[in-house]
Amino acid sequence: MRIFLFLSLLAPLCAGAPKIDTGEINGAKYLIEVPDSWNGVLIMYCHGYASSPGNFDSPRQQSAMNPFVESGYAVARSGYAAGGFAVKEAVQDTQALRRYFVAKHGTPSETYVMGHSMGGLLTMALVEMFPEDYDGGLALCGVLSPSAWFVERHIFDSRVVFDYLFPGVLPPPDKAAPRDPGVTKKIAAALDSNPSAAETFRRYVSARNHQEAAGVAAFFTELLTELIQRAGGNAFDNRNTIYQGTPDNDALNDGVKRYAADPRAAEYLRVWYTPTGRLTRPLLAIHTTQDAVVPPWVPGMYATMAGQAGSSGFFVQQYVKRAGHCAISPEETTRGFNQLREWKTKGARPLAGAAR
């Protein structure tokens, strides 16, 4: 937050500096930047998963947004009223902020939504739910699939496989556990103690090394605990899952622990959010080819859903040849947005495949 206080103080002294508008709407802090020579286009930005709400000091987020403000676009960001997998709150808070922007700063000529990771899921949801409010969406490294399917088939299953390989290291994935600041080191020590099992887990989650695998397992543990608290129970069921991707799949399926889902918790995650695949506005997705947190096969699900809904003409997916979650550069983000806007305003549909 300090950087934005500094910018707010600096704005009156610098010719062309953006006007900074900060405050709180229904418990959600917000940040709006309106350039001195605003081009009339508004970008609503949705941030990704964060353990606490109201955080605007991410260097990655700011470096991605700066080029747009410098190019004349207004950018509005909500911190959401809740942390964690706050899809429900984020949808409501982003819409409230958009309405506030119109009332305070005027009606934009065009409005787009973009976001990283969970923010990519929100981009998809907002374009589907409120097509009258958005001209298009740019989903970056996004969870473009049903939330329940993604978390169950990637995050929950990865934790179940980890527990099979390293029993007793982590709390059960169906129970909320107290936050453990040392969990990443604990996982890393377990991986180092059993190189063979560590290699199996690393390959299962497509992590590049033990350090990344430990970070992924720690994050998945935090997210599952938060979801249990949010939804009121375990939302995931692996009783009918047949696992593969290890040197001995038979032993894995015989030995892995099975869990039943709490119906109420599963319903919460189904509502927030299961996409319809129905689009009337263009949605461009960009993903890296090596991502252990949201693997590139996840947004492929949305391509299938859009096709089944007859909306393939409104969805394009591109990839960046790079490893890491959300390792998409500001330049690649800007190019993607420019293609999205050309698509909406001139009908020039971007090419699928490698980001250009």
Side-chain angles (χ1 to χ4, degrees), residues 28-29 34 38 57 60 93 98 109 128 130 152 159 204 229 237-238 248-249 255 259 297 335 348:
K29 294 179 181 178
V34 182
W38 179 34
D57 59 3
R60 174 182 287 180
D93 295 336
R98 187 196 59 78
S109 57
E128 281 194 354
F130 307 102
E152 186 170 82
R159 267 298 322 272
Y204 188 84
Q229 295 168 338
D237 193 315
N238 71 333
D248 192 342
N249 292 326
Y259 299 89
W297 48 262
R335 281 202 303 270

Side-chain angles (χ1 to χ4, degrees), residues 53 85 141 209 245 265 334:
F85 202 74
C141 50
N209 49 54
T334 301

Side-chain angles (χ1 to χ4, degrees), residues 2-294:
R2 288 193 299 272
I3 186 171
F4 296 109
L5 292 175
F6 172 75
L7 285 172
S8 181
L9 292 172
L10 189 62
L13 305 178
C14 298
K19 178 169 63 177
I20 306 297
D21 178 358
T22 61
E24 186 174 302
I25 302 172
N26 299 327
K29 294 179 181 178
Y30 69 83
L31 170 68
I32 293 173
E33 296 172 274
V34 182
D36 185 51
S37 299
W38 179 34
N39 63 10
V41 179
L42 170 64
I43 297 173
M44 299 296 301
Y45 178 79
C46 301
H47 73 72
Y49 184 96
S51 56
S52 59
N55 181 10
F56 298 114
D57 59 3
S58 163
R60 174 182 287 180
Q61 183 184 131
Q62 191 61 29
S63 66
M65 292 299 102
N66 278 341
F68 293 102
V69 178
E70 292 166 359
S71 297
Y73 295 95
V75 175
R77 294 180 257 177
S78 173
Y80 317 148
F85 202 74
V87 175
K88 177 181 179 180
E89 293 86 348
V91 167
Q92 295 170 344
D93 295 336
T94 300
Q95 282 299 94
L97 180 58
R98 187 196 59 78
R99 292 190 296 269
Y100 167 82
F101 182 96
V102 171
K104 179 72 177 292
H105 300 282
T107 302
S109 57
E110 301 166 41
T111 301
Y112 297 89
V113 57
M114 73 164 66
H116 287 87
S117 195
M118 186 185 81
L121 186 155
L122 293 164
T123 297
M124 169 191 69
L126 288 163
V127 170
E128 281 194 354
M129 297 171 71
F130 307 102
E132 68 280 4
D133 294 333
Y134 298 99
D135 290 278
L138 178 63
L140 303 159
C141 50
V143 182
L144 304 189
S145 72
S147 297
W149 176 82
F150 162 69
V151 180
E152 186 170 82
R153 291 287 71 90
H154 182 51
I155 294 177
F156 188 82
D157 281 352
S158 295
R159 267 298 322 272
V160 167
V161 170
F162 179 90
D163 291 350
Y164 165 76
L165 296 169
F166 300 95
V169 173
L170 294 173
D174 66 334
K175 306 293 182 187
R179 185 174 178 83
D180 180 1
V183 67
T184 304
K185 289 185 178 180
K186 184 185 299 184
I187 295 169
L191 294 172
D192 290 341
S193 71
N194 190 336
S196 177
E199 178 69 8
T200 296
F201 180 72
R202 185 185 68 79
R203 289 183 178 277
Y204 188 84
V205 297
S206 299
R208 291 166 290 174
N209 49 54
H210 286 188
Q211 181 180 3
E212 185 175 48
V216 166
F219 172 62
F220 288 179
T221 300
E222 175 188 342
L223 188 146
L224 287 173
T225 287
E226 193 271 328
L227 274 177
I228 290 168
Q229 295 168 338
R230 173 179 295 277
N234 167 50
F236 312 110
D237 193 315
N238 71 333
R239 290 175 295 175
N240 286 314
T241 302
I242 301 175
Y243 291 91
Q244 64 175 357
T246 68
D248 192 342
N249 292 326
D250 292 336
L252 172 65
N253 283 290
D254 286 344
V256 76
K257 190 168 182 179
R258 306 289 176 168
Y259 299 89
D262 179 289
R264 294 170 301 174
E267 177 63 11
Y268 175 89
L269 211 59
R270 185 194 68 78
V271 173
W272 299 104
Y273 177 70
T274 299
T276 65
R278 292 190 293 271
L279 293 170
T280 58
R281 298 290 186 271
L283 178 61
L284 174 62
I286 303 177
H287 217 93
T288 52
T289 51
Q290 300 177 62
D291 185 341
V293 177
V294 184

